[in-house]
Amino acid sequence: MSWRLVYTRQAQKDAKKLAAADLKAKAQELLSVLADNPFRNPPPYEKLVGDLSGAYSRRINIQHRLVYQVLEAEHTVKVLRMWTHYE
């Protein structure tokens, strides 16, 4: 059973930036992995700490990351960000 993906308003804005930066294909690949199984390796993921505690991230490229939360009770993956966390 695949997971349902939901996007925050910020993630929707980030998707437009990714398309403009020619990173859409890589992001789509990661999103399909999340829809299949958000805990699958590879590609590797990191559990985040601090204000993003409880969230996970996967690398889109050296600078940009896809940040998401897994809501297991609803069988949903909530995509928080898809752009750099250095801004």
Side-chain angles (χ1 to χ4, degrees):
M1 182 172 151
S2 67
W3 291 69
R4 187 169 68 103
L5 297 177
V6 294
Y7 302 89
T8 62
R9 189 170 276 131
Q10 184 61 53
Q12 292 170 357
K13 289 179 187 175
D14 292 346
K16 292 176 185 167
K17 292 182 193 175
L18 283 176
D22 202 26
L23 294 170
K24 185 177 180 179
K26 179 67 175 164
Q28 289 285 15
E29 186 181 313
L30 288 174
L31 290 170
S32 69
V33 166
L34 293 182
D36 180 43
N37 178 0
F39 300 110
R40 189 179 96 194
N41 266 331
Y45 65 90
E46 279 177 38
K47 190 168 178 131
L48 300 178
V49 295
D51 24 326
L52 287 173
S53 181
Y56 301 88
S57 83
R58 292 183 189 251
R59 212 173 263 290
I60 296 171
N61 68 6
I62 195 77
Q63 182 181 10
H64 303 299
R65 294 180 160 273
L66 191 148
V67 179
Y68 62 98
Q69 288 178 322
V70 178
L71 309 170
E72 292 191 50
E74 295 93 36
H75 210 69
T76 301
V77 176
K78 183 178 183 181
V79 179
L80 304 174
R81 295 292 314 252
M82 292 192 284
W83 195 244
T84 184
H85 59 297
Y86 299 112
E87 288 180 351

